[in-house]
Amino acid sequence: MSTIVFTGGGTGGHVYPGLAVYRELSRDHQEKVLWIGSRRGIERGIVGGEGLRYRSVPTGKLRRYFDWQNFLDLFRVAAGFFAALWILKREGASLVFSKGGFVAVPVVAAARVAGIPVVVHESDADPGLATRLTAPLARVICLPYEESIQAFSPSLRGRVVVTGNPVRREFFSDSSRHALSLVGLQDEGLPVILVTGGSLGAHQLNRYVREQIKALTEIALVVHQTGDHGKELIGEIAAEAVPGRYAGFPSFSEEFAPLLQRSDLVICRAGAGSIWELAVTATPAVLVPLSSASSRGDQVRNAARYAASGAALVFEGGPEDSKDLLVMVQSLLEDSPRRAAMAEAARSFAGGNSARSIAGIIGRIIE
Ligand SMILES: CC(=O)N[C@H]1[C@@H](OP(=O)(O)OP(=O)(O)OC[C@H]2O[C@@H](n3ccc(=O)[nH]c3=O)[C@H](O)[C@@H]2O)O[C@H](CO)[C@@H](O)[C@@H]1O
């Protein structure tokens, strides 16, 4: 039996959508599956937790600026290419599905050399460098939005399919009933605010919560994901909060879908995966995108694209502006018709089941 190879990694945003596709695919196909990631990437733990076979290959960071490390990384990418080629041949791989991230580059290149068909998916409105490099080698290029097609040359556009972003199945079915007990909070009839910084957490959001926790817990229950780097803050924030109204965690696993469904408002970064999960659960949100100054600006464009649908507001303040964010949150919590309209807009944005569509594309190629 041949093997379908998944690849991608670096952050949760490059792994969870891949898992969503894998789960849909395994409903209809019995092929063996292997995930190729990096040695120390976040993907190793997430994929391992799913019970999927995992192999790592060397890879290098693809920087757009000069750094001496670039030379070393070129060798790492080359080493990753040969390691991936060996794995693909030995496994008798029938298809490679790439979810992007640096590790996908040597794997997709190896697949191309071995004549194995490749399907690439990009989550961000503005495709990342790994997708731009690998798309020319792919048979099908799956993109989240019509306008993302502009990033590719006319010769590649014929291979593009607009699929939206894959979201895991648990976000589609309502499991909100026990959400609060999962994080140790009691339902007091107050609105629920979830603050989440994406798979890595966000310093800026942690600072906002630390500065405004008293005022926030006077009007709502607050559930807060700090990321690993912010876990020391949890005790300090809890001490400032109205007792019994704050729950902080470094990160969530099974609680995440129920919490999104249970929340009246989410304050979060604008990672592509987070946005589509908000859309599927129809949860009104305030997005605080990672600024263009400290990133390639993908979150700024993701946020603008989503907010244009009416499902979210974008907070453009800096790290010192927690009071302005509080005002925005207060006015949204007081305005339930507005939140209902945002939820409706989110529902229309989400559309169908993207993971299922992509699994269908993969299924047709391997058949
Ligand atoms: C800092 C950074 O580089 N961010 C990028 C990264 O974001 P990031 O890795 O945060 O990815 P997303 O926002 O796309 O997705 C976050 C994922 O983590 C999951 N989750 C989150 C918190 C938690 O406690 N538990 C949990 O399971 C969510 O359910 C979601 O599936 O990839 C995205 C998709 O390419 C990009 O748009 C972001 O710009």
Side-chain angles (χ1 to χ4, degrees), residues 66-83:
F66 178 79
D67 189 307
W68 290 109
Q69 282 280 336
N70 291 354
F71 297 104
L72 196 56
D73 281 346
L74 269 180
F75 284 107
R76 290 196 182 111
V77 173
F81 166 82
F82 288 110

Side-chain angles (χ1 to χ4, degrees), residues 11-13 124 168 198-199 251-252 256 271-274 277 298-299 302:
T11 69
D124 291 306
R168 286 162 288 162
S199 63
S251 70
F252 302 113
F256 204 62
S274 303
E277 288 165 2
D298 52 322
Q299 293 201 5
N302 288 340

Side-chain angles (χ1 to χ4, degrees), residues 307-356:
S309 74
L313 300 184
V314 181
F315 181 71
E316 284 166 349
E320 273 100 60
D321 301 323
S322 65
K323 274 204 181 117
D324 299 338
L325 177 69
L326 178 67
V327 171
M328 193 184 246
V329 167
Q330 281 166 332
S331 77
L332 278 171
L333 286 187
E334 283 161 11
D335 193 346
S336 37
R338 180 156 194 211
R339 279 186 286 116
M342 290 167 84
E344 204 39 57
R347 261 180 224 109
S348 330
F349 179 95
N353 184 338
S354 160
R356 188 109 200 104

Side-chain angles (χ1 to χ4, degrees), residues 64-329:
R64 291 172 196 244
Y65 52 87
F66 178 79
D67 189 307
W68 290 109
Q69 282 280 336
N70 291 354
F71 297 104
L72 196 56
D73 281 346
L74 269 180
F75 284 107
R76 290 196 182 111
V77 173
F81 166 82
F82 288 110
L85 193 59
W86 193 72
I87 295 170
L88 295 176
K89 291 266 192 204
R90 212 185 51 170
E91 290 282 337
S94 54
L95 183 139
V96 169
F97 174 67
S98 163
K99 205 33 229 94
F102 303 136
V103 72
V105 175
V107 182
V108 168
R112 175 60 184 251
V113 167
I116 298 163
V118 174
V119 176
V120 166
H121 178 270
E122 169 63 44
S123 295
D124 291 306
D126 178 21
L129 183 57
T131 304
R132 287 173 196 259
L133 290 172
T134 53
L137 310 178
R139 186 177 293 186
V140 182
I141 306 163
C142 304
L143 297 179
Y145 307 108
E146 280 300 331
E147 61 268 32
S148 312
I149 296 174
Q150 306 306 324
F152 298 99
S153 65
S155 63
L156 290 180
R157 291 182 192 163
R159 300 184 218 164
V160 168
V161 183
V162 177
T163 57
N165 272 340
V167 169
R168 286 162 288 162
R169 202 161 258 263
E170 65 257 35
F171 289 85
F172 288 85
S173 54
D174 186 6
S175 56
S176 61
R177 228 172 115 225
H178 303 294
L180 291 179
S181 59
L182 289 174
V183 292
L185 291 177
Q186 304 249 329
D187 192 346
E188 298 183 35
L190 284 170
V192 177
I193 300 174
L194 172 66
V195 184
T196 165
S199 63
L200 307 176
H203 290 290
Q204 190 179 353
L205 297 187
N206 292 347
R207 179 170 174 181
Y208 291 159
V209 176
R210 203 182 67 208
E211 289 177 5
Q212 300 302 333
I213 191 61
K214 190 145 194 326
L216 287 170
T217 48
E218 273 158 9
I219 53 171
L221 298 180
V222 176
V223 187
H224 175 204
Q225 179 239 347
T226 60
D228 260 354
H229 56 75
K231 63 183 175 212
E232 278 79 30
L233 295 173
I234 293 172
E236 184 190 321
I237 297 172
E240 288 290 314
V242 174
R245 294 190 181 170
Y246 171 80
F249 298 88
S251 70
F252 302 113
S253 51
E254 292 80 40
E255 307 89 355
F256 204 62
L259 281 171
L260 274 190
Q261 290 158 353
R262 179 65 182 80
S263 298
D264 297 274
L265 187 67
V266 171
I267 303 169
C268 66
R269 280 292 193 216
S274 303
I275 282 178
W276 282 73
E277 288 165 2
L278 287 168
V280 166
T281 57
T283 315
V286 173
L287 303 176
V288 186
L290 189 61
S291 73
S292 305
S294 44
S295 73
R296 69 182 178 89
D298 52 322
Q299 293 201 5
V300 174
R301 286 180 284 276
N302 288 340
R305 179 64 177 73
Y306 188 55
S309 74
L313 300 184
V314 181
F315 181 71
E316 284 166 349
E320 273 100 60
D321 301 323
S322 65
K323 274 204 181 117
D324 299 338
L325 177 69
L326 178 67
V327 171
M328 193 184 246
V329 167

